[in-house]
Amino acid sequence: MKKFIPDFILEKYSQKQFSGNFTGTILFADIVGFTSVTNELMKNGKAGAEVLGDIITDLFSPSLNIVHKHNGFVISILGDAFIAVFWNSEDSINAAKEICNIFGKKKKQHTKFGNLEFSIKVGISGSEINWEIVKNIHQNVFVFKSPSLKLSSELQKLCTENSFLTDGIDLRQQPKITVNKEYSQSSFVPKSLIELETEGEFREVISCFVHFGQHQNLISGIIDFVQLYSGFI
């Protein structure tokens, strides 16, 4: 089953809990070189997409598996970066070490289009994390808010390749949410995307980034407009 939505959010939604907060750590990982390589591979059409798929399988997938191995969950994938949440500092640091180690060992990817190089930078910050599920008749969305989102992003910019930095805050073990069942993602993800059989492709799209600031009440209205013009979030 393709996983688009964190189990944490799906379970809260099933329990009719639509907002809350907890103390945890945020890990922001940025893959250096991914965007430029993607742009180059796009010039090679389907063959380039296949190579990119192999790279994602070799680097990206193991990194996400490490997050789950250390009791974390991914809240966002931003093309060449991802953001994950952990319940304590130790788990996030152990995950960062393993992820950096993977990229250190597999820095060079040998492909039919030549040798491609990647590295990763990771920032970790701990604080209170607020979450919210915004309900809409077309598509529900979830939001995470925390000072650590910005700080972890800033910390990774200061890293050397295949290394991580933390804010030094030592958060001890927090209660973990263990999800032992599969929940439907259909309230959050279009059915066409869930049932999509294609593993990957290059497609020209127009992306729109909207910063809401304190105006979270506008999100549902934005979803309506996105649906009206055949887009998706």
Side-chain angles (χ1 to χ4, degrees), residues 157-205:
K157 295 176 184 177
L158 303 175
C159 293
T160 57
E161 66 176 33
N162 302 323
S163 67
F164 67 93
L165 285 175
T166 79
D167 59 7
I169 295 177
D170 184 14
L171 293 177
R172 301 297 179 176
Q173 187 70 38
Q174 300 292 323
K176 295 192 288 290
I177 305 269
T178 302
V179 179
N180 296 316
K181 61 181 292 186
E182 291 284 350
Y183 292 99
S184 171
Q185 303 178 88
S186 60
S187 296
F188 293 85
V189 183
K191 183 179 179 181
S192 58
L193 187 58
I194 294 176
E195 297 178 349
L196 190 66
E197 295 184 0
T198 305
E199 290 295 326
E201 63 181 357
F202 290 131
R203 182 179 296 187
E204 296 289 343
V205 299

Side-chain angles (χ1 to χ4, degrees), residues 207-219:
S207 299
C208 179
F209 181 86
V210 181
H211 181 258
F212 292 99
Q214 300 300 316
H215 305 288
Q216 301 291 328
N217 57 309
L218 299 178
I219 294 178

